Amino acid sequence: MQNSKEFQNLLELLDSDDETNIELALLLAENHQEEFKAHFGHTVEQYKELVEFLDTHNYPRYGKKLKKVQHIGITSRNITAIPEAIGILSNVVTAQFSYCPIEYLPESIGNLSGLVTLSLIQCDIKALPENIGKLKQLETLQISSSQL
């Protein structure tokens, strides 16, 4: 499917390093829900939730460059859930969540095809999603003090 010219412009705004451009692109994305979901695999709302999640934890605004994120390390007692759109971060190699009262990982965790290390330290994990088996590159799964 060919993206519209307006959607191409939106992607260019998302690709900039300017926060104002990224915010504008996310506003424009509301008018391109279908193209956005086809391009990113998640809704505009899920994408915004992921951007807000990363922003809250002092990650810079990546815009479309979210796919370039390679490492996530978050320590926070304020996190009760990981956004479903985390699957957008397909190039993440290392993900570490410490002291987060999360009970479940989102199903989209299986989309992190480059994930080598997943650490869940002092989290309240009760179960792992079935598709964690899709993580063919996963070498280290570290879980401590969970409810598994």
Side-chain angles (χ1 to χ4, degrees):
M1 179 175 125
Q2 182 84 17
N3 290 327
S4 69
K5 178 67 175 157
E6 189 173 313
F7 188 74
Q8 288 296 333
N9 291 339
L10 178 151
L11 292 176
E12 287 177 24
L13 288 172
L14 272 179
D15 204 23
S16 78
D17 292 325
D18 184 305
E19 274 193 49
T20 303
N21 284 346
I22 293 169
E23 289 175 18
L24 177 60
L26 291 173
L27 286 173
L28 292 171
E30 296 293 333
N31 297 324
H32 297 276
Q33 297 278 346
E34 289 180 29
E35 285 177 292
F36 195 93
K37 186 163 184 166
H39 185 82
F40 289 104
H42 292 278
T43 65
V44 174
E45 206 52 49
Q46 289 172 321
Y47 187 95
K48 286 179 180 180
E49 182 182 319
L50 179 60
V51 169
E52 183 178 324
F53 176 81
L54 293 173
D55 193 40
T56 300
H57 299 288
N58 299 318
Y59 282 82
R61 290 275 177 128
Y62 282 97
K64 192 175 93 177
K65 298 175 188 173
L66 282 176
K67 291 187 175 189
K68 295 182 180 182
V69 176
Q70 292 186 330
H71 305 282
I72 299 175
I74 296 177
T75 300
S76 175
R77 295 224 177 263
N78 297 325
I79 296 176
T80 56
I82 297 171
E84 183 63 38
I86 197 159
I88 290 172
L89 307 176
S90 58
N91 289 318
V92 167
V93 175
T94 305
Q96 180 175 340
F97 297 94
S98 302
Y99 302 97
C100 302
I102 53 177
E103 295 181 356
Y104 300 97
L105 296 175
E107 286 295 322
S108 68
I109 200 89
N111 297 341
L112 303 180
S113 57
L115 192 63
V116 174
T117 302
L118 175 59
S119 297
L120 303 164
I121 311 301
Q122 298 287 320
C123 295
D124 297 333
I125 297 294
K126 292 182 178 179
L128 295 173
E130 283 186 35
N131 67 359
I132 202 156
K134 289 173 52 179
L135 300 173
K136 303 298 182 204
Q137 303 296 318
L138 190 65
E139 295 175 5
T140 304
L141 175 59
Q142 182 180 14
I143 302 173
S144 70
S145 299
S146 72
Q147 298 179 31
L148 286 176

